[in-house]
Structures are given as C-alpha cells and as structure tokens.
Amino acid sequence: MYAKEVSVQNHVGLHARPATFFIQKANEYKASVWVEKEERRVNAKSLLGVLSLGIVGGTTIKIIADGADEQEAVDALVKLVETGFAE
C-alpha cells in the first residue's frame, strides 16, 4: 500500500470536469485506488464516489493505492492534482 497527501490547487476543487480527468487517470492503473478526505474514503475510479466527497479548492486529500503499480498510480494522480487539472 502506498499513499500521499496533496492539497487541491484549483479554486473550484474536484467538480465534474476535473473529477472526470482524475478518474480517467486512476483507471489507467491496475492497482486499487482510493481518495480520502477527513474520515471518508471512496473508490478513485468512481465518479459518483469522488464527487460525493465535495472536495473544494484548498482541501487536503489523501490518495491511496494498493497493487502492482501502486506507486506510479499515486504519483501520477498527485501530479494531476498539483497542476490544477490543467484548468
């Protein structure tokens, strides 16, 4: 299992469009991937799950992966969040 915390950079947070980019990136990996905000953890490959967290700009989230390519998955998703989803 591999995990990293990251602060959401874009001002609107993980609304539908950036959440879609996030999920598409998570689905590129075989590892199971989760997003955690405070005490809630959801499947990072589920649009409904990610949107249900209500992640806004400035929120710190934890990205967790478990599987063969767990480190690559977490690092790629952290980079995507840090760049503000190119918005």
Side-chain angles (χ1 to χ4, degrees):
M1 189 169 292
Y2 184 74
K4 275 190 177 177
E5 286 193 353
V6 62
S7 181
V8 177
Q9 300 298 317
N10 63 331
H11 66 284
V12 292
L14 266 176
H15 64 84
R17 188 164 163 240
T20 301
F21 295 147
F22 187 86
I23 290 151
Q24 288 171 342
K25 181 59 78 178
N27 277 301
E28 292 177 13
Y29 300 93
K30 292 180 181 169
S32 297
V33 186
W34 300 276
V35 179
E36 196 173 86
K37 175 187 162 199
E38 295 158 1
E39 298 299 314
R40 291 198 51 218
R41 182 184 289 189
V42 298
N43 182 347
K45 297 179 181 183
S46 162
L47 180 60
L48 205 54
V50 172
L51 290 175
S52 75
L53 291 177
I55 299 166
V56 296
T59 303
T60 298
I61 59 172
K62 184 184 280 187
I63 301 171
I64 306 154
D66 190 19
D69 51 2
E70 61 191 30
Q71 188 166 348
E72 294 89 354
V74 170
D75 290 342
L77 289 167
V78 165
K79 184 177 179 185
L80 183 65
V81 172
E82 286 176 339
T83 60
F85 306 94
E87 287 201 327

